[in-house]
Amino acid sequence: MEEPTDLIRSARFRKEREDDWMRLEALVTKAEGQGLRRMSFGEARDLAALYREATTSLAIAREISLDKGLLRYLEALTARAYLSVYAPQESARGIVARFMRKSGPVAMRKSWFFVLLGFLSMGLGGLAGYLLYLDDPAWFYVLMPGELAGGRNPEATTSYLRSVIYDDDPSASGLGAFATFLFSHNTRIAIFVFGLGVFLCAPAILLTFYNGLIIGVFVALHVDRGLGWDLFGWLSIHGVTELSAICIACGGGIQLGAAVLFPGQNTRAEALRIAGRDAAKLAIIAALMLVAAALIEGFGRQLIQDRNARLIIGWTIGGLWLMWFVRGGRAQS
């Protein structure tokens, strides 16, 4: 139980400063409800000054062991005031706009080497898969998951392969379900290549390389049947965006792994934290691209059956992504 002298001392301490605390509490409440931008210059100035006085009062109250109720009140008040003064005042909409205008494409440019490694991993995998199929079509069964092939394999007839590429009734053939499966598969790949990159880069590179192998044998099958350009158009309308998203996610994963492998002057934890700023933005960009690819895949690829139209749409969208990465944030940076 507190001594009467402590209670008297607490009451006196509170009385001498209570008016400022009440004023600070009113300003904090206003800042929490309306934001600092809607406060007048004088109110914002008073908020900062009273916050500093309140922290001083809290330090004194702790030093002379005033009553616990007063300490709890001051701790809560100073915590709220701190958030009002120093916490980011930008709205979620402003954060999204800033990411789209500047921080996203800037992170892409800063991470270009790692993103390039991601594209090389998939490209080399695709080349290897293509050459392996030409050497022996049996590699198709080794590399391609059966559920992903959807019946398209070296034993399928050319007419069947063509009918899947130019299917004007996806609901009847199950192509829509296959497209959903393919998107789900690629989304999992993107998540894995990003998340596994932190383990010294190798899992991200190998998984992206394997995804390239799958694409390589798939392309080789169709080229072998004289359907190379038709498949190219079929893949382009969504694949330019979707496969690029996987490569970008891989680049983010490699960036994290490189920070662990080569921390430089920093500790590994610090290097990982620094690299994570841009790597996380690459992951967000990859996620945005996968969502866009899903929309394209859900509508465009089934509704648009003309090969040239598929090529134009797919690569035009790819060009827009590239323009965003190259030009975005230039004026502000």
Side-chain angles (χ1 to χ4, degrees):
M1 181 177 292
E2 294 174 284
E3 297 295 332
T5 53
D6 291 338
L7 295 176
I8 294 173
R9 188 169 50 183
S10 295
R12 184 183 303 160
F13 185 86
R14 181 195 298 268
K15 185 177 181 181
E16 291 173 351
R17 296 165 177 81
E18 195 166 26
D19 289 343
D20 288 342
W21 298 344
M22 297 301 291
R23 169 66 173 160
L24 176 59
E25 187 170 359
L27 291 173
V28 169
T29 302
K30 185 173 183 178
E32 291 172 340
Q34 303 177 7
L36 280 178
R37 292 182 180 179
R38 296 195 176 184
M39 297 176 70
S40 67
F41 172 77
E43 289 175 328
R45 180 197 57 202
D46 291 347
L47 174 62
L50 290 170
Y51 162 68
R52 289 192 293 271
E53 290 179 11
T55 56
T56 302
S57 298
L58 176 60
I60 296 172
R62 284 172 172 165
E63 185 68 23
I64 61 178
S65 302
L66 293 181
D67 70 89
K68 294 180 180 178
L70 178 62
L71 286 175
R72 284 195 293 268
Y73 169 77
L74 283 176
E75 286 170 351
L77 180 60
T78 52
R80 290 174 60 199
Y82 175 85
L83 292 175
S84 299
V85 174
Y86 294 107
Q89 300 298 313
E90 194 169 12
S91 64
R93 184 178 178 182
I95 293 173
V96 172
R98 183 161 53 85
F99 178 83
M100 299 301 291
R101 283 199 307 267
K102 181 179 178 181
S103 57
V106 169
M108 279 290 293
R109 291 197 292 275
K110 288 170 63 179
S111 309
W112 69 269
F113 179 70
F114 301 107
V115 175
L116 177 63
L117 291 179
F119 276 94
L120 283 176
S121 300
M122 181 171 287
L124 291 175
L127 178 62
Y130 187 89
L131 295 177
L132 285 172
Y133 181 92
L134 294 184
D135 182 63
D136 185 351
W139 279 105
F140 186 94
Y141 299 104
V142 176
L143 299 173
M144 176 67 79
E147 64 274 20
L148 195 59
R152 291 165 296 176
N153 54 52
E155 295 178 359
T157 63
T158 301
S159 61
Y160 173 73
L161 295 176
R162 184 187 298 277
S163 70
V164 175
I165 293 174
Y166 298 107
D167 186 358
D168 56 3
D169 189 6
S171 59
S173 68
L175 188 59
F178 173 73
T180 302
F181 172 80
L182 189 62
F183 170 73
S184 175
H185 167 81
N186 288 334
T187 301
R188 287 198 301 272
I189 292 292
I191 293 172
F192 281 138
V193 297
F194 178 79
L196 294 177
V198 72
F199 298 108
L200 310 182
C201 303
I205 294 174
L206 292 176
L207 191 54
T208 307
F209 184 83
Y210 172 65
N211 211 47
L213 284 173
I214 293 174
I215 296 170
V217 296
F218 193 68
V219 170
L221 166 66
H222 288 77
V223 171
D224 189 48
R225 302 297 181 83
L227 297 171
W229 276 108
D230 303 283
L231 179 72
F232 188 55
W234 185 80
L235 281 174
S236 291
I237 193 168
H238 80 289
V240 173
T241 296
E242 193 165 316
L243 298 180
S244 296
I246 294 174
C247 296
I248 291 170
C250 177
I254 295 173
Q255 191 169 13
L256 293 176
V260 176
L261 280 174
F262 311 107
Q265 300 293 326
N266 302 310
T267 64
R268 283 192 163 79
E270 181 68 11
L272 189 61
R273 186 183 66 80
I274 294 171
R277 294 171 185 164
D278 287 335
K281 291 169 185 169
L282 297 191
I284 294 173
I285 289 173
L288 290 175
M289 295 179 74
L290 286 171
V291 171
L295 295 174
I296 298 168
E297 190 164 1
F299 298 100
R301 196 173 66 178
Q302 279 83 39
L303 296 176
I304 301 170
Q305 298 295 317
D306 180 73
R307 184 186 66 191
N308 292 332
R310 287 172 169 176
L311 287 168
I312 292 170
I313 293 172
W315 288 98
T316 298
I317 293 173
L320 293 175
W321 286 116
L322 182 61
M323 185 182 299
W324 179 45
F325 299 149
V326 173
R327 300 296 305 167
R330 289 283 186 188
Q332 294 90 349
S333 60

